[in-house]
Amino acid sequence: MGILGNILSFLVILAPVPTFYRVYTRKSTESFQSVPYAMALLSAMLWLYYALLTKDLLLLTINTVGCVVESAYLAIYLAYAPKQARAFTAKLVGIMNVALYGAMVCVLQLLVKDGESRVTIAGGIGSAFALAVFVAPLAIIRQVIGTKSVEFLPFWLSFFLTISAVVWFFYGLLMKDFFVATPNVLGLLFGLAQMSLHLVYKNPKKKGAVSEVQVPADDEKNQLPLQQQQAGTTAHVVAPIIEADEEVVNGREDDGGDKQQSVSVVDIVLPPPEEHPTLPPVDHPAPLPPMRMAVEVV
């Protein structure tokens, strides 16, 4: 169970790789949060210290890898984050991962002389921050519900966190290490909550989405203005269509008064010249009657 837990935890650590590859390619952190990765780094540092005290090789190896990889994630985030987010992340890492962690290690090493008490305190603190790792991705739950999109809540991170919580729970249970087993009970619940968000908002219906209409490069006729097209031919007219929500149809708008917007392509056949109405000759010119013409319909 410990080896399986290490494998799954390694997958959890690597789950954000597509996210940071996207950050690297786009040179922007967009709406991604740094809090989950700072909390994951602190949790790995705490469990690394606990593993050193208990001489648990399995915990030692996976948390060493975790410290290295999470530090790399935060370095990429700091490189491409906007100024305000960069300052917040640097302050967060400085307070939690440097000041608080350093103070805890100094207090336990210098003031707590009993080795068993030191292990108990370190295990309790590690369990508390293990819960924070599971809760941290839910910091953007309001954004997920508000935008009805899980774009910035990585699916594989939530998935592997859930599976890993199950395995580490059984490892702690079999090893009778309740500092390992206890946080993974709530970790499983938080992981299921994150997975439920993916199920609910997997295919969001975005408002204000405008479809792209592509005109073939070789179709010169379609690229001409509508007035310049020959009579009797078919013109492609791009007309934005506003589709009201169900509540607007019933006479009520939503809070923001938003309406859905899409693009429709309409084929309009232009009449030949011989079908245009002609007037008999008169002494005094009269206004021309309305002629059929293509108009943009909104």
Side-chain angles (χ1 to χ4, degrees):
M1 293 301 293
I3 294 174
L4 182 59
N6 267 19
I7 295 173
L8 290 172
S9 294
F10 185 68
L11 294 176
V12 170
I13 294 172
L14 295 182
V17 167
T19 298
F20 284 94
Y21 179 75
R22 171 177 172 174
V23 170
Y24 172 75
T25 55
R26 299 189 179 185
K27 311 300 181 185
S28 172
T29 58
E30 301 179 33
S31 295
F32 291 109
Q33 303 280 339
S34 63
V35 175
Y37 308 103
M39 299 297 287
L41 175 60
L42 180 57
S43 178
M45 294 168 65
L46 290 171
W47 284 114
L48 180 61
Y49 178 67
Y50 178 78
L52 289 171
L53 295 177
T54 58
K55 297 180 176 58
D56 191 324
L57 182 62
L58 292 173
L59 288 177
L60 184 64
T61 54
I62 190 59
N63 285 288
T64 301
V65 174
C67 288
V68 174
V69 177
E70 297 294 343
S71 298
Y73 290 157
L74 287 172
I76 296 174
Y77 188 92
L78 289 171
Y80 297 109
K83 185 176 180 180
Q84 185 176 0
R86 186 185 300 119
F88 171 78
T89 302
K91 186 184 300 184
L92 182 68
V93 172
I95 293 175
M96 289 199 320
N97 300 78
V98 178
L100 290 180
Y101 179 79
M104 185 207 72
V105 173
C106 290
V107 169
L108 291 180
Q109 289 295 122
L110 299 177
L111 300 181
V112 181
K113 302 300 183 180
D114 182 47
E116 187 173 348
S117 299
R118 190 181 301 161
V119 169
T120 302
I121 297 173
I125 297 175
S127 297
F129 276 92
L131 292 177
V133 172
F134 291 110
V135 177
L138 294 180
I140 60 171
I141 187 172
R142 180 177 299 178
Q143 178 185 1
V144 171
I145 296 176
T147 61
K148 296 180 173 56
S149 172
V150 291
E151 181 182 4
F152 301 105
L153 183 64
F155 170 79
W156 291 113
L157 179 61
S158 302
F159 176 77
F160 286 119
L161 275 174
T162 305
I163 303 300
S164 178
V166 176
V167 175
W168 281 113
F169 167 75
F170 283 108
Y171 174 78
L173 197 63
L174 293 172
M175 296 295 294
K176 298 181 180 180
D177 190 338
F178 295 102
F179 292 121
V180 175
T182 302
N184 285 288
V185 176
L186 291 180
L188 173 61
L189 298 178
F190 286 128
L192 292 176
Q194 296 176 45
M195 297 296 294
S196 65
L197 290 178
H198 283 277
L199 293 176
V200 174
Y201 301 116
K202 180 173 61 174
N203 296 315
K205 188 175 182 180
K206 296 183 179 179
K207 293 186 177 181
V210 179
S211 304
E212 295 182 358
V213 179
Q214 297 181 354
V215 179
D218 56 349
D219 193 352
E220 297 180 357
K221 189 183 301 181
N222 288 338
Q223 298 179 15
L224 295 175
L226 184 60
Q227 293 81 357
Q228 297 180 8
Q229 301 229 7
Q230 296 179 357
T233 61
T234 300
H236 298 290
V237 179
V238 179
I241 298 176
I242 307 299
E243 297 176 357
D245 295 335
E246 182 179 356
E247 292 185 354
V248 178
V249 175
N250 295 330
R252 303 184 307 273
E253 293 188 0
D254 56 7
D255 295 337
D258 296 335
K259 297 179 181 180
Q260 297 178 0
Q261 181 176 358
S262 61
V263 171
S264 176
V265 178
V266 183
D267 292 336
I268 299 179
V269 180
L270 301 180
E274 57 270 14
E275 293 186 8
H276 293 177
T278 58
L279 296 175
V282 292
D283 296 335
H284 301 284
L288 293 177
M291 298 176 61
R292 290 186 296 172
M293 59 184 297
V295 298
E296 179 178 321
V297 182
V298 177

